[in-house]
Amino acid sequence: MRRHRWCRPCEFSPAVVVILACIVVLQFLLLIKDQDGLFQTDYSEMSKKSTQMKTETRIATSGVLPTTETIDTFRTCTCGMHYQVNGTEALVFPSTPKKKVLLAIGIPTIHRVGETYLLQTLDSLISNMADNERDDVIIIVFLADRETEKRTMLATSIKNKFGDLLQSGMISVIQAPNSYYNAINVTKLTYNQPIKYVKWRAKQNFDYAYMFKYSMGRSSYYMQIEDDVKTLPGYVDSIKQYIKEQTDEWTCLEFSELGFIGKLYHTEDLDKMAMMFLLFYQEQPVDYTYLYFNLVMTQMTKKLRKPTLFQHLGIYSSFPGKIQPLKDRYFDNFTKVFKADNPPAEIITSMSVYLTFLPRLAYQGEGYFWSHGAPTDGDTFTVVFQEPQKLVRVVVVTGSEGHPHDRIEYARLDASLTLLKTDNDLKCTNDISLGFFENGNIDAGFLIEKISFKVMCLRITVTKVHALWVIIKEIAVFVSK
């Protein structure tokens, strides 16, 4: 049976959780009801205590923005939290309305100075989705620039590449009216950050809240990513499986350890989360507010799926001049290591295939083959060349960063000189042994000296029952021209 190796989630001290949750809930209720009383909290003392917690949650310390006017300690704040999004007016391109789906993926984006990854992100999401999953997913791109020219440029690039998906309603491009941001009024600084940065992150709170409000009722679950990430083959099914694995109630499931990437919520909670983002837009960056929201919703531990499903690509932050080369430590790297020839071939295996981790991914493209169950004695994995090849070197790498033990331990590699074809079968014969696997890998070199004929097949044959599933990450074939 498959053995999962999940890391134990970080745990909060119960006493601190109760104190923190009470503070946030009381502030939340006081602001919603516009009550006048002064609620005193010693944030500096809380900050000292928070450094002792082994958690990613941070307590904000705030300072008053220098001004010649007196700023009330508490202001009456509607902050746009009751703003209603007109779904039709928000759409940049008219599209066929989709019925309520399983998953909505939100992507806020702005024009960046430097390299732009938006189209690459969309392409990764779509190409790594199985055809039968497209009816279960909608992708919502929010153009968050205030300048019309920048929004138009991004919208045009999306339409040129994904026009058919815009028309079908699988991709929606939305924007907010400039009047929506009139409620932003930065009157204090927190985290010792300069006014320009605080204004930028305050707007980001409004951007996210707008996306939440637009997405309400359109799906069962909502997940947000950034506009500079890539994902993995089969990621939608992995999300479904992780949801099914939950044995207790949850507020947020995480599929990336970074920022606000890959955070999954029940869509029914989006309105409350939008209100919280709008209420505390001055005090907190979005990456912290969602942590507080999870606590208020009584989820006391992080539920991070490992390996994660999204990797951060970008270097340039959406804040001008900020460099942010973050990488997710738990993301499996699917990129092939060897720059091999890999001539055209058909890939065949007797092993069951897990989800969309197809056999061909071990030989070409980004991805790898993953067996559905442990291989047994006699199982095979075969590369059948379209034309006979003169081999120089063959390398097979198994296992992955996320699953280093899912590797081939007991197997041999053969080259076949002859291919017999029938109506129902392909049979490789006239075998020459290239060696046996060691520590999950094999590197057979100097083959020109060993094999004087061209070969038709390469075949991995399992020689002993394995305990775990196996991943064939890369098959690299070098040939003589």
Side-chain angles (χ1 to χ4, degrees):
M1 185 175 72
R2 175 73 182 155
R3 298 187 305 180
H4 294 288
R5 310 172 189 86
W6 308 106
C7 294
R8 185 180 181 184
C10 301
E11 295 184 356
F12 296 97
S13 166
V16 177
V17 166
V18 171
I19 294 171
L20 180 59
C22 288
I23 290 172
V24 176
V25 170
L26 285 172
Q27 286 186 319
F28 189 69
L29 294 174
L30 285 169
L31 285 168
I32 289 177
K33 295 180 180 179
D34 290 327
Q35 294 182 357
D36 296 328
L38 182 64
F39 180 55
Q40 298 285 357
T41 306
D42 186 352
Y43 279 97
S44 60
E45 184 63 24
M46 286 295 292
S47 292
K48 293 176 184 177
K49 293 180 180 179
S50 71
T51 59
Q52 301 171 7
M53 298 169 58
K54 292 183 179 180
T55 175
E56 295 178 24
T57 305
R58 294 175 58 183
I59 307 299
T61 56
S62 61
V64 178
L65 180 68
T67 179
T68 56
E69 300 179 1
T70 301
I71 300 174
D72 294 335
T73 306
F74 277 85
R75 67 191 185 284
T76 300
C77 176
T78 56
C79 309
M81 67 182 182
H82 300 300
Y83 184 91
Q84 298 299 312
V85 174
N86 185 315
T88 302
E89 292 181 357
L91 280 174
V92 175
F93 304 109
S95 61
T96 304
K98 260 199 167 188
K99 66 182 190 311
K100 185 176 180 180
V101 298
L102 178 72
L103 175 65
I105 301 174
I107 310 175
T109 186
I110 67 168
H111 173 75
R112 293 174 186 255
V113 177
E115 193 165 4
T116 298
Y117 294 90
L118 174 61
L119 297 183
Q120 186 177 338
T121 297
L122 289 171
D123 189 61
S124 179
L125 289 172
I126 294 162
S127 62
N128 286 320
M129 190 186 307
D131 290 341
N132 62 355
E133 293 172 338
R134 294 195 175 192
D135 290 336
D136 294 335
V137 179
I138 56 174
I139 299 172
I140 303 167
V141 181
F142 176 46
L143 306 180
D145 282 295
R146 298 292 296 272
E147 298 85 355
T148 303
E149 298 79 9
K150 291 180 179 179
R151 295 199 304 268
T152 300
M153 182 173 60
L154 286 171
T156 301
S157 66
I158 297 170
K159 185 177 181 180
N160 289 341
K161 187 172 178 62
F162 302 104
D164 57 334
L165 299 180
L166 285 169
Q167 192 171 17
S168 71
M170 183 180 177
I171 296 180
S172 296
V173 179
I174 64 172
Q175 60 186 355
N178 281 331
S179 59
Y180 168 69
Y181 297 100
N182 290 342
I184 297 178
N185 181 29
V186 175
T187 58
K188 60 182 176 181
L189 306 179
T190 58
Y191 298 101
N192 296 318
Q193 292 173 335
I195 180 63
K196 186 176 181 180
Y197 190 84
V198 174
K199 287 182 176 180
W200 169 79
R201 74 170 205 224
K203 177 185 175 295
Q204 193 174 54
N205 274 274
F206 270 66
D207 293 340
Y208 285 24
Y210 191 89
M211 288 203 69
F212 300 158
K213 286 175 175 287
Y214 175 85
S215 302
M216 292 188 307
R218 300 181 187 277
S219 60
S220 299
Y221 303 100
Y222 172 88
M223 183 182 68
Q224 187 156 310
I225 62 173
E226 292 185 3
D227 61 355
D228 55 352
V229 303
K230 68 176 181 178
T231 188
L232 307 175
Y235 73 95
V236 174
D237 195 82
S238 296
I239 291 170
K240 293 178 184 177
Q241 290 297 325
Y242 195 54
I243 292 173
K244 290 179 181 178
E245 290 172 11
Q246 305 310 308
T247 57
D248 54 358
E249 291 190 5
W250 56 271
T251 297
C252 176
L253 303 182
E254 303 190 30
F255 298 91
S256 169
E257 68 164 340
L258 301 177
F260 206 76
I261 299 173
K263 314 307 179 193
L264 184 81
Y265 286 89
H266 299 274
T267 306
E268 63 194 37
D269 291 335
L270 291 181
D271 192 34
K272 287 181 284 189
M273 191 158 64
M275 292 173 67
M276 194 163 184
F277 274 59
L278 292 172
L279 282 170
F280 298 103
Y281 74 90
Q282 286 195 84
E283 291 79 7
Q284 300 293 344
V286 292
D287 293 356
Y288 295 167
T289 304
Y290 90 91
L291 294 172
Y292 292 124
F293 181 77
N294 296 348
L295 290 174
V296 172
M297 295 290 286
T298 71
Q299 179 175 314
M300 306 305 179
T301 58
K302 290 175 70 69
K303 293 182 178 292
L304 175 64
R305 191 234 190 226
K306 298 178 183 177
T308 50
L309 299 179
F310 302 95
Q311 180 61 286
H312 186 251
L313 295 174
I315 295 177
Y316 300 96
S317 167
S318 56
F319 181 73
K322 182 180 179 183
I323 302 299
Q324 192 165 265
L326 301 176
K327 295 297 180 185
D328 192 316
R329 296 170 296 172
Y330 305 113
F331 183 85
D332 255 344
N333 181 11
F334 281 6
T335 303
K336 299 291 189 280
V337 174
F338 297 93
K339 306 302 180 184
D341 300 309
N342 284 24
E346 182 178 355
I347 315 300
I348 303 169
T349 183
S350 64
M351 291 179 270
S352 297
V353 180
Y354 180 55
L355 301 177
T356 56
F357 294 88
L358 303 174
R360 65 174 175 79
L361 296 177
Y363 189 72
Q364 61 188 21
E366 285 200 352
Y368 50 58
F369 164 74
W370 204 350
S371 69
H372 192 183
T376 189
D377 186 9
D379 272 333
T380 58
F381 191 97
T382 308
V383 178
V384 181
F385 299 116
Q386 291 182 7
E387 301 290 340
Q389 301 295 329
K390 186 69 174 176
L391 299 183
V392 175
R393 181 188 181 195
V394 177
V395 182
V396 182
V397 179
T398 70
S400 72
E401 293 178 16
H403 300 274
H405 301 292
D406 288 6
R407 63 187 187 181
I408 294 178
E409 298 285 2
Y410 313 104
R412 69 175 184 269
L413 177 65
D414 297 318
S416 302
L417 303 180
T418 308
L419 174 65
L420 300 178
K421 293 184 179 182
T422 66
D423 292 339
N424 301 318
D425 195 18
L426 295 174
K427 187 175 182 180
C428 299
T429 61
N430 252 344
D431 296 341
I432 298 175
S433 177
L434 302 185
F436 290 84
F437 280 74
E438 293 183 8
N439 299 319
N441 305 320
I442 186 171
D443 187 348
F446 305 104
L447 296 182
I448 279 187
E449 300 174 6
K450 187 172 186 179
I451 307 174
S452 56
F453 300 100
K454 291 184 176 182
V455 305
M456 286 301 303
C457 308
L458 286 170
R459 184 175 61 250
I460 300 168
T461 303
V462 176
T463 58
K464 187 177 179 180
V465 175
H466 284 56
L468 300 175
W469 303 9
V470 297
I471 289 171
I472 302 179
K473 184 174 183 180
E474 181 170 3
I475 299 176
V477 178
F478 299 85
V479 299
S480 176
K481 301 301 184 182

